[in-house]
């Protein structure tokens, strides 16, 4: 550029600033004329104004001083001996500290020794986390993952130093490789296979990298790829957030422009400014992350390797964000003619904005790459240009071995930064902007199961306002309502309007229970069927589909069968053998959608032809998907899902003919966090739904075991907006374990009873439930889906070690556990299979879970409660066809003289906890806390709860003097979303 | 025995400008001493878990180094110009030395360094900036000079205007454009 040209640009830039922004484009057209290059330069300046504002606001003196401060924080360690490592030379330095080449004096091998900067080591919590992370990564014994040999601390003359010793790798990073430009597709494929292999092993072990980028990947001269810094990224992100804060404080006034975009994302302080180019959209939005974020980042790396340029670029952070979130990168096949279409397709799929549209696992991506490699090698063979195939197969085999080891043993689990799990997701707008939301019911208590009349003007729902569950009718926009079912005290719920709006189908407990139909004109009710829940009408009104398990919320429930019954004859047929609950018949009548439990434990949406046939999966992933509801034109299936953290509204496009999804689920923004029970009007203009709000706390209540009466009133032990449930008092009576039911995922906590100390024992994306102290107080058992499905785990109450896995339940789900009083056994529930025992005296590899049989068979209706203090029996909940009314039963363990037997104690009773005499239990039944004597089977109420309160999960101190329970107060109101154009 | 009073920096600057080479060798340690003093504040602030308002400290450091009060009025602008240029030389050399210290042999690149290092986040790399300023000087010497005065010399807009004998608004305009240009040169 000539000085004249530069001056011209500066001048035009100045003048452009005088022009109103919305007129600049036109002004530039005129000012620059045909010189489009000049125009581009001026625009570059204009675009660069915000990111560059106050770029040099800190004087050089300040910059140099800070550089010096950094230098002083990482003093040279050359020549030092740290632990048994002799430092040889400096390899590199960075924010995570310095890395030295060192010699392991014990084993005589060379290692890379990372020394952590002192500012980390002064924070005990951070050091602890760092060690947990490093240990998690060290469990990853994989040829394509940098091996961590050792993590520890060593005293030097000045201070205590934290170090990590890793494998020493000679070679270059992919960033260095990229400096020579784009990489040949063959080599990229070779690298991609190894990376997919490494990620697949890590993901299987529950570790997400979250910072995949060329700087973090090394290529050895022999072609081996090594992924670095598994588990380390998080530590840095936390540091970055503090650093960001500090900058803001230092440059309070001058940072306003630069920070405006950051402030917008202030809910996600874990963001790293320097590396946004490799972030996934969900990472950029601060949404909860899973393994699929790594798949996206890997896609970015592969794209860059192939083309030499990053797929998502911008002149500013904001522009890069925009590219990541909204723009499709230039097609690879256009950039590189020689690139196989399949390869381009693989990378494009990895780069899908929506995680569910990407490869769902790294293993899936690896399989696709392998296929591609096989195809290309066979092609090469055909033209006799046989070249040595990279030894990825060998690595894959090694990877498989690692998976087996990891899957079978105890290992350290990665923790997830709390920052990201707390971040509120920012769903992309999917519904038109002209949608309004109005609250239809405002009573305290719950209103459930809204059904909209076809015209969208009338609403019927279930409420307990008159003492029992009734159906209420209300005109939209008005507050008066009419009880449609005053004639009976039996509960009536789950109404559904027929397509002509003249009838309601509903569930009622009257006349022995079943499905009923009400003529709205006369309010006449007749019984259709003697079983069934959640009814849904066929389009012609001749049939009703229903499930055999009642669905109000997501909870443990029996298997549900999907049936269709003829309204006129009561003739019925089974639609599918598999678990199918909460059916929704499409408005055209062709298909029925439902949600069901899959063999892998997922709750997924499916559709099936109404006449019967093969079910088609609509979703197939870990998030819970339920409440299917067809749009009026049957083109979309709306549903609720926790895939963004909260249980919110989603939709997926459906090809009704095949029942297949036509794309990935997309969020349908509603101002709700816990959404359920959807109903569309026939005209598609209104959607009614339930918005729930549940708060839980753990309560303590004094108890006199001699008189069997309560002392005083309950006292809340946990407060605030937190959501504590599942209390379990420690054997020494000093500590309370509980789990949070709060968003987005439940975790396990312990707190001192006096509230002086609270420890979070798990802090991750997994759902951790039902803590139970071991009798010696040294472990806490809980169940968690951290292995992809529920298994029993234990964790130490001091929080100093990561959870260990106890059960390996194969395809089953292991939940609801308790220890035997001597601590030698653990009873647990295989969901819908029955009870099993683990003998904890045996090492894990010799474990063979022992089924608890009754008459030689497993009783699949049992869920384990608590083991009695005398060790002889286990109180269980028995679920019949109706999941909402479990019976409390006692399982008497077999003795040398007697076989195991089951004794029914009390119907409609839950959450039993033993008093120390092993004869009496505290239970919760029908809104009351009661004490039950198993000898007489009599129950005496201790405390009654309000209509909107739900007491759950009891625990009793060993001295019998305090009862702990969780108390939830529930509000559920009905809302209406209305569109001005039909949806 | 009491140590002699530290040499007056302003006097040294004037002496250096008048051709006394010894003055520069005496000056460098003084600048370094100020850097260490500031660095110490950074570290102390981090240790104590709170963050210092460093702007005042930096200004103080500049003031200690180049106090125009001691210069006769007509030399003031001239003096500012010299001191900024000198600060640039000393600070860039300092940064260069630091970087040499940091970079050991060629080996594995420490990933995360770029993202976690302070300089990468928002502070410019002084060495790279110095190079870019030389290029800017070819395109627009005044803009380059303004960056030297403001960024290296710590001068206010008004002081820079005084040195260059142009209006404050001209300095503001050049400063803004130069920052954009440099930012683009150094970050994209």
């Amino acid at each position: 550029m000539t000085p004249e040209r530069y001056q011209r640009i500066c001048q035009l830039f100045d003048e452009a600033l005088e022009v109103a922004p919305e007129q600049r484009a036109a002004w530039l057209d005129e000012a620059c004329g045909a010189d489009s290059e000049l125009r581009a330069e001026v625009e570059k300046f204009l675009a660069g104004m915000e990111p560059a504002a106050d770029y040099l606001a800190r004087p050089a003196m300040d910059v140099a001083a800070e550089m010096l401060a950094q230098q002083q924080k990482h003093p040279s360690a050359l020549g030092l001996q740290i632990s048994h490592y002799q430092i040889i030379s400096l390899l590199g330095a960075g924010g995570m500290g310095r890395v030295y080449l060192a010699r392991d004096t014990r084993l005589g091998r060379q290692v890379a020794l990372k020394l952590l900067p002192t500012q980390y080591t002064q924070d005990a919590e951070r050091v602890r986390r760092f060690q947990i992370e490093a240990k998690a990564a060290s469990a990853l014994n994989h040829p394509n993952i940098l091996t961590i040999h050792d993590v520890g601390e060593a005293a030097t003359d000045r201070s205590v130093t934290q170090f990590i010793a890793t494998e020493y790798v000679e070679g270059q990073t992919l960033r260095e490789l990229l400096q020579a430009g784009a990489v040949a597709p063959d080599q990229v494929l070779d690298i991609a296979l190894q990376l997919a292999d490494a990620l697949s092993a890590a993901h299987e072990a529950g570790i997400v990298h979250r910072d995949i980028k060329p700087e973090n990947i090394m290529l050895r001269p022999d072609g081996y790829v090594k992924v670095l810094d598994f588990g380390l990224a998080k530590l840095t992100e936390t540091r970055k957030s503090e650093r960001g804060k500090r900058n803001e404080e230092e440059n309070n006034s001058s940072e306003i422009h630069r920070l405006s975009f950051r402030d917008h994302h202030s809910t996600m302080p874990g963001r790293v400014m320097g590396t946004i180019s490799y972030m996934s959209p969900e990472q950029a939005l601060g949404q909860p992350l899973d393994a699929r974020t790594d798949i996206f980042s890997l896609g970015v790396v592969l794209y860059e390797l192939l083309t030499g340029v990053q797929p998502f670029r911008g002149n500013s952070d904001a522009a890069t964000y925009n590219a990541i979130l909204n723009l499709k990168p230039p097609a690879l096949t256009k950039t590189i003619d020689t690139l196989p279409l399949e390869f381009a397709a693989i990378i494009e799929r990895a780069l899908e904005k929506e995680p569910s549209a990407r490869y769902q696992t790294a293993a899936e991506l690896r399989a696709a790459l392998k296929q591609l490699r096989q195809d290309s090698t066979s092609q090469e063979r055909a033209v006799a240009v046989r070249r040595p195939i990279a030894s990825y197969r060998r690595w894959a085999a090694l990877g498989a071995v690692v998976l087996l080891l990891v899957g079978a043993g105890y290992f350290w689990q990665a923790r997830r930064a709390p920052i990201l799990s707390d971040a509120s997701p920012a769903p992309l707008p999917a519904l038109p902007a002209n949608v309004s939301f109005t609250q239809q019911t405002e009573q305290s208590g719950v209103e459930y199961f809204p059904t909209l009349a076809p015209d969208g003007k009338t609403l019927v729902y279930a409420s307990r306002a008159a003492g029992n569950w009734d159906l209420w009718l209300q005109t939209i926009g008005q507050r008066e309502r009419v009880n449609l079912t005053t004639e009976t005290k039996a509960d009536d719920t789950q109404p559904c309007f027929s397509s002509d709006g003249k009838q309601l189908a509903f569930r009622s407990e009257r006349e022995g229970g079943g499905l009923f139909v009400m003529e709205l004109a006369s309010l006449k009710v007749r019984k259709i069927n003697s079983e069934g829940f959640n009814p849904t009408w066929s389009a012609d009104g001749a049939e009703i589909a229903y499930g055999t398990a009642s669905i109000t919320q997501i909870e443990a429930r029996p298997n549900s069968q999907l049936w269709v019954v003829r309204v006129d004859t009561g003739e019925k047929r089974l639609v599918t053998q598999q678990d199918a609950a909460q059916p929704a018949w499409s408005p055209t009548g062709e298909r029925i959608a439902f949600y069901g439990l899959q063999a892998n434990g997922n709750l997924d949406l499916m559709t099936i032809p109404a006449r019967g046939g093969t079910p088609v999966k609509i979703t197939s992933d870990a998030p819970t998907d339920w409440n299917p509801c067809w749009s009026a034109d049957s083109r979309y299936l709306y549903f609720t899902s926790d895939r963004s953290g909260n249980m919110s509204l989603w939709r997926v496009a459906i090809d009704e003919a095949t029942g297949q999804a036509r794309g990935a689920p997309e969020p349908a923004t509603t101002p709700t966090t816990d959404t359920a029970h959807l109903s569309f009007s026939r005209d598609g203009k209104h959607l009614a739904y339930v918005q729930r709000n549940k708060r839980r706390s753990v309560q303590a209540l004094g108890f006199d075991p001699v008189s069997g009466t309560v002392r005083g009133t309950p006292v809340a032990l946990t407060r605030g907006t937190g959501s504590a449930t599942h209390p379990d008092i420690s054997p020494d009576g000093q500590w309370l374990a509980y789990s949070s039911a709060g968003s987005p995922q439940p975790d396990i906590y312990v707190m001192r009873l006096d509230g002086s100390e609270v420890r979070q024992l798990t802090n991750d994306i997994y759902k951790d439930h039902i803590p139970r102290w071991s009798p010696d107080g040294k472990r806490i058992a809980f169940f968690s889906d951290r292995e992809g499905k529920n298994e029993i785990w234990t964790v130490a109450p001091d929080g100093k070690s990561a959870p260990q896995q106890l059960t390996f339940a194969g395809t089953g789900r292991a939940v609801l556990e308790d220890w035997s009083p001597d601590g030698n056994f653990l009873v647990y529930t295989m969901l819908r299979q029955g009870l099993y025992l683990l003998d904890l005296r045996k090492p894990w590899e010799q474990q063979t879970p022992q089924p608890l049989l009754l008459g030689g068979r497993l009783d699949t209706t049992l869920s384990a409660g608590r083991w009695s203090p005398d060790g002889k029996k286990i109180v269980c909940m028995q679920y019949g066809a109706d999941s909402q009314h479990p019976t409390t039963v006692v399982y008497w363990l077999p003795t040398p003289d007697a076989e195991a037997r089951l004794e029914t104690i009390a119907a409609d009773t839950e959450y039993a906890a033993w008093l120390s005499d092993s004869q009496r239990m505290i239970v919760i039944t029908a809104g009351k806390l009661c004490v039950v004597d198993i000898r007489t089977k009599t129950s005496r109420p201790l405390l009654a709860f309000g209509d909107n309160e739900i007491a759950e999960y009891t625990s009793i101190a060993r001295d019998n003097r305090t009862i702990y329970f969780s108390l939830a107060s529930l509000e559920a109101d009905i809302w209406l979303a209305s569109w001005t154009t039909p949806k | 025995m009491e140590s002699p009073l530290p040499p007056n920096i302003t006097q040294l600057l004037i002496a250096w400008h008048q051709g006394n080479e010894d003055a520069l060798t005496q000056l460098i340690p003084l600048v370094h001493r100020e850097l260490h003093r500031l660095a110490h504040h950074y570290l102390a602030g981090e240790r104590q878990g709170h963050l210092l308002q460093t702007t005042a400290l930096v200004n103080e450091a500049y003031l200690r180094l180049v106090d125009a009060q001691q210069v006769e009025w007509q030399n003031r602008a001239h003096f500012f110009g010299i001191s900024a240029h000198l600060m640039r030389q000393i600070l860039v050399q300092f940064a260069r030395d630091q970087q040499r210290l940091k970079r050991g042999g060629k080996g594995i690149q420490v990933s995360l360094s770029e993202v976690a290092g302070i300089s990468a986040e928002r502070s410019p790399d002084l060495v790279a900036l110095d190079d870019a300023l030389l290029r800017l000087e070819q395109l627009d010497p005044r803009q380059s000079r303004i960056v030297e005065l403001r960024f290296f010399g710590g001068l206010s807009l008004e002081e820079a205007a005084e040195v260059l004998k142009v209006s404050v608004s001209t300095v503001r305009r050049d400063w803004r454009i130069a920052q954009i240009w440099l930012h683009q040169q150094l970050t994209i």
Side-chain angles (χ1 to χ4, degrees), chain A residues 733-942:
Chain A
Q734 300 295 309
W735 292 81
L736 184 79
Y738 60 94
S739 62
S740 62
S743 71
Q745 312 295 0
D747 280 309
I748 305 293
Y749 293 78
V750 292
M751 67 177 278
R752 268 192 197 281
L753 274 189
D754 61 8
S756 63
E757 195 176 347
V758 178
R759 295 181 195 145
Q760 186 170 0
L761 301 186
T762 66
N763 178 8
D764 46 44
I765 58 169
Y766 309 106
K767 296 170 185 166
D768 306 315
H769 300 273
I770 317 245
R772 288 282 160 88
W773 292 88
S774 64
D776 62 5
K778 290 181 177 162
R779 308 290 298 168
I780 291 173
F782 61 100
F783 71 87
S784 168
D785 64 353
R786 55 191 58 227
E787 268 296 82
K789 63 185 184 58
N790 282 321
E791 298 275 12
I792 312 291
W793 294 68
T794 68
V795 66
D798 60 9
K800 286 188 176 149
S801 59
Q804 296 182 344
Q805 189 173 354
L806 275 189
T807 59
F808 297 93
T811 55
R813 294 199 289 177
V815 298
L816 298 168
E817 74 292 344
D818 199 24
W819 308 78
S820 65
D822 59 10
N824 287 339
F825 294 92
L826 189 96
V827 63
Y828 62 95
T829 312
M830 290 286 285
L831 205 62
R832 278 177 227 154
Q833 293 179 32
L835 308 185
Y836 282 81
L837 278 191
L838 273 190
D839 185 342
L840 300 172
R841 294 166 299 186
K842 292 183 188 165
W844 62 267
E845 69 273 13
Q846 290 170 22
Q847 286 292 354
T848 40
Q850 177 194 341
L852 284 181
L853 303 175
L854 279 165
R857 293 179 51 215
L858 272 169
D859 186 332
T860 59
T861 63
L862 295 182
S863 291
R866 290 180 179 272
W867 206 311
S868 68
D870 65 7
K872 291 179 181 167
K873 49 202 180 276
I874 297 162
V875 62
C876 301
M877 285 190 260
Q878 185 170 38
Y879 288 95
D882 171 3
S883 62
Q884 289 188 331
H885 301 281
T887 301
T888 295
V889 296
V890 167
Y891 179 92
W892 289 83
L893 291 152
T895 65
D897 306 323
E899 295 206 349
R901 66 192 169 91
L902 206 61
E903 183 181 7
T904 300
I905 304 298
D908 206 356
T909 301
E910 291 178 275
Y911 313 118
W914 294 99
L915 289 169
S916 57
D917 60 12
S918 294
Q919 305 297 339
R920 289 177 294 166
M921 296 183 295
I922 301 296
V923 297
I924 289 167
T925 177
K928 294 189 190 74
L929 191 72
C930 297
V931 59
V932 173
D933 192 316
I934 65 165
R935 291 162 299 191
T936 61
K937 303 206 172 69
T938 51
S939 119
R940 196 154 39 80
L942 298 174

Side-chain angles (χ1 to χ4, degrees), chain A residues 303-370:
Chain A
Y303 187 104
E304 186 176 0
L305 286 174
L306 284 170
T307 62
V309 290
Q310 292 167 354
F312 307 108
R313 286 182 302 162
N315 286 335
S316 63
D317 289 347
T320 306
Y321 271 101
N322 182 51
I324 291 171
L325 294 178
N326 300 316
L327 302 184
K328 216 173 142 65
L332 279 166
T333 42
K334 281 189 186 155
T335 325
I336 318 157
D337 330 324
T338 56
L339 191 69
L341 286 176
E342 297 80 9
F343 200 4
I346 288 171
I347 292 170
E348 276 158 19
R349 180 149 172 220
L351 291 177
E352 285 284 349
K353 311 286 185 204
E354 174 59 45
S356 61
R358 291 172 212 150
Y359 293 100
Q360 295 301 292
T361 62
E364 208 183 316
L365 169 62
R366 182 184 52 189
L369 289 165
K370 263 187 184 171

Side-chain angles (χ1 to χ4, degrees), chain A residues 1-4 6-7 10-11 13-14 17 44-49 51-74 89-99 112 114 119-120 122 166-173 176 211 213 215-218 228-229 232-233 236 239-240 242-247 249-252 254-255 258 262 272-275 314-316, chain B residues 30-43 45-47 50-55 57-59 61-62 65 87-88 91-92 94-127 129 133 136-143 147 150-155 173-188:
Chain A
M1 189 184 292
T2 64
E4 293 71 28
Y6 183 79
Q7 297 297 339
C10 291
Q11 186 195 342
F13 167 76
D14 274 335
L17 282 184
K44 202 168 129 194
F45 265 74
L46 287 165
M49 191 156 64
D54 301 314
Y55 174 53
L56 301 178
R58 299 170 59 207
M61 189 86 178
D62 194 15
V63 174
E66 189 152 10
M67 194 173 174
L68 180 63
Q70 284 297 306
Q71 190 75 10
Q72 288 175 348
K73 266 190 298 193
H74 317 297
S89 66
L90 182 68
L91 292 172
M96 284 293 298
R98 299 180 154 210
V99 179
K114 243 179 224 202
Q119 78 265 26
Y120 294 153
Q122 283 153 5
T166 70
E167 171 188 14
Y168 171 56
V169 182
E170 278 180 285
Q172 57 183 346
T173 65
E176 289 164 327
D211 194 22
K213 56 183 175 179
E215 291 80 358
N216 269 344
I217 302 163
M218 288 205 64
L228 313 187
D229 288 346
L232 299 185
T236 319
R239 286 296 304 167
K240 291 296 282 188
E242 287 165 19
R243 176 70 218 157
K245 258 187 263 164
R246 184 166 132 200
N247 272 340
E249 282 167 37
E250 279 171 7
N251 300 286
N252 240 340
S254 60
E255 277 283 283
R258 268 185 71 85
R262 262 192 246 184
V272 183
M273 294 305 288
T275 51
N315 286 335
S316 63
Chain B
L30 294 178
V31 175
H32 285 192
R33 194 184 66 191
E34 291 300 327
L35 286 174
H36 279 270
R37 200 197 299 258
L38 284 172
H40 174 76
H41 280 294
Y42 273 118
L43 293 171
E46 274 184 7
R47 268 199 296 277
H50 65 82
L51 308 159
L52 291 177
Q53 190 67 28
T54 55
T55 319
L57 294 171
V58 174
N59 285 342
Y62 272 105
L65 288 173
M87 286 298 285
R88 175 174 166 188
L91 291 175
V92 170
F94 173 82
R96 212 167 254 140
D97 292 344
Q98 287 288 315
Q99 287 179 359
R100 198 169 296 135
L101 266 177
K102 267 177 112 171
R103 287 185 188 128
K106 169 110 174 123
I108 75 168
Q109 176 108 19
V110 184
S111 47
L112 298 174
S113 60
E114 286 78 6
V115 296
I118 284 163
S119 54
E121 188 172 67
R122 58 172 313 279
S123 307
D125 174 341
L126 295 184
V127 178
L129 187 81
L133 267 187
L136 182 59
E137 200 176 344
Q138 304 299 312
L139 297 174
D140 190 322
R142 191 175 66 199
Q143 284 183 15
V147 172
R150 301 259 299 127
F151 181 67
F152 286 104
L155 298 196
R173 165 200 182 267
D174 280 3
W175 173 237
R176 176 167 64 198
I177 295 179
Q179 281 192 92
I180 298 170
W181 189 82
L182 288 167
H183 184 254
Q184 287 175 347
Q185 293 291 309
L186 266 65
T187 60
I188 295 171

Side-chain angles (χ1 to χ4, degrees), chain A residues 80-142:
Chain A
L80 278 179
Q81 175 140 350
I82 305 265
S83 185
H84 54 287
Y85 302 101
Q86 182 75 44
I87 289 177
I88 299 168
S89 66
L90 182 68
L91 292 172
M96 284 293 298
R98 299 180 154 210
V99 179
Y100 297 92
L101 176 63
R103 203 171 64 85
D104 180 337
T105 55
R106 287 189 197 158
L107 297 174
R109 65 184 171 189
Q110 287 193 331
V111 300
L113 194 68
K114 243 179 224 202
L115 300 186
L116 295 192
T118 50
Q119 78 265 26
Y120 294 153
T121 63
Q122 283 153 5
D123 180 342
E125 170 61 16
R126 188 155 289 142
V127 166
R128 194 178 68 81
R129 277 196 205 172
F130 169 79
Q131 288 173 344
I132 288 174
E133 299 267 1
K135 280 178 178 156
S138 67
L140 294 172
N141 179 15
H142 188 274

